[in-house]
Amino acid sequence: MALEETRLTCKGKKLLQFLGTSTFSEYTVLNQIAVAKIDPAAPLDKVCLLGCGVCTGFGAAVNTAQVEPGSTCAVFGLGAVGLAAVMGCKFAGAKRIIAVDINPEKFEKAKVFGATEFVNPKDHSRPISQVLAEMTEGGVDYSLECVGNVAVMRSALESCVKGWGVSVLVGWTDLHDFAARPIQLIAGRTWKGTLFGGFKSKDGVPEMVKAYLDRKVKLDEFITHNMTLDRVNDAIELMKHGQCIRTVLSVSQP
């Protein structure tokens, strides 16, 4: 929740803003830091995705991990954020992009964004870090955890190559502590986190809008459903069950 100070009411009752924006409303009052001026030619029903998930995943690869051309990457979790991370790895020139998810139906979509291989941890009896180390002769150069699960965060770190591997925490959670053995970092790995993909929103969002208009990044491919606002709970259920990537909501059917 945002701070309890609010300028919004409904029928005399105070309304609090989810994440300080409340973007399920037609009109809202925002802090100036949450506003970015974009190209008026951009379709809002597409570039709305740049307000959070796509920038977060894409920027995690490009800005935070700073993926280098010719490198090997692993992305854990193939929701919208993970798929955006895959897209970021491809944009940065990665040679191998290994998509990791327990839902095999996600791989076809991951290939659209640039994944070259798919690994389902359920298909293996060994830890996924050992599987990836064997596939890559020692580990990946970059790993991005896009689930928000502390056990997966550790697996992502341990999947990195010793000496220079970089693992980025992208998935959001505040439920549990995360842990790893000190040798994982002493051996030369780097473990870091990212918020909004390292973008400064006032500059970064307009840049990503331009990249979309110039067809350098994908957005349409993230959208699997379009619904009206009265079906918002249906959209959330689809996402919880892994049956959609992103649903775009409108007040009335276009």
Side-chain angles (χ1 to χ4, degrees), residues 24-27 227-230 248-254:
F24 289 154
S25 57
E26 288 184 87
Y27 298 93
M227 295 183 179
T228 51
L229 186 57
D230 59 345
V248 173
L249 299 171
S250 57
V251 177
S252 58
Q253 198 67 39

Side-chain angles (χ1 to χ4, degrees), residues 31-249:
N31 188 306
Q32 54 85 23
I33 200 171
V35 179
K37 183 175 175 58
I38 64 171
D39 189 328
L44 292 177
D45 62 339
K46 302 294 191 298
V47 298
C48 59
L49 272 63
L50 295 173
C52 187
V54 173
C55 282
T56 297
F58 185 87
V62 175
N63 300 328
T64 308
Q66 297 184 342
V67 170
E68 296 182 354
S71 59
T72 298
C73 303
V75 176
F76 291 73
L78 300 176
V81 175
L83 292 173
V86 169
M87 181 170 67
C89 292
K90 180 176 175 60
F91 181 88
K95 184 177 181 180
R96 293 179 70 184
I97 304 171
I98 304 169
V100 182
D101 201 291
I102 58 174
N103 183 352
E105 296 179 5
K106 294 288 186 74
F107 185 44
E108 287 305 313
K109 180 65 81 170
K111 286 199 291 188
V112 171
F113 292 98
T116 58
E117 298 154 76
F118 178 76
V119 177
N120 184 344
K122 288 187 173 181
D123 293 339
H124 303 273
S125 57
R126 295 175 296 155
I128 189 64
S129 58
Q130 292 181 18
V131 174
L132 293 175
E134 185 175 290
M135 290 174 60
T136 56
E137 299 182 359
V140 300
D141 300 306
Y142 305 94
S143 68
L144 299 106
E145 193 279 351
C146 302
V147 179
N149 180 307
V150 294
V152 180
M153 292 173 183
R154 180 169 181 167
S155 294
L157 173 69
E158 295 174 350
S159 299
C160 285
V161 66
K162 295 177 182 178
W164 64 83
V166 175
S167 186
V168 181
L169 310 184
V170 191
W172 174 269
T173 184
D174 197 27
L175 296 177
H176 307 287
D177 292 340
F178 68 100
R181 296 195 175 189
I183 189 62
Q184 299 295 345
L185 300 182
I186 293 170
R189 298 179 178 94
T190 300
W191 212 3
K192 56 171 68 174
T194 189
L195 183 66
F196 198 52
F199 281 110
K200 292 183 178 179
S201 55
K202 280 192 174 182
D203 301 323
V205 170
E207 289 170 2
M208 287 292 284
V209 168
K210 184 178 187 305
Y212 168 68
L213 294 175
D214 292 342
R215 299 186 179 181
K216 293 179 180 178
V217 300
K218 301 177 187 293
L219 288 180
D220 301 51
E221 291 80 0
F222 287 95
I223 301 170
T224 53
H225 298 76
N226 287 274
M227 295 183 179
T228 51
L229 186 57
D230 59 345
R231 296 187 62 197
V232 60
N233 289 331
D234 295 335
I236 291 172
E237 286 301 313
L238 284 172
M239 186 170 63
K240 283 167 62 177
H241 290 92
Q243 297 173 350
C244 84
I245 303 301
R246 277 292 181 265
T247 297
V248 173
L249 299 171

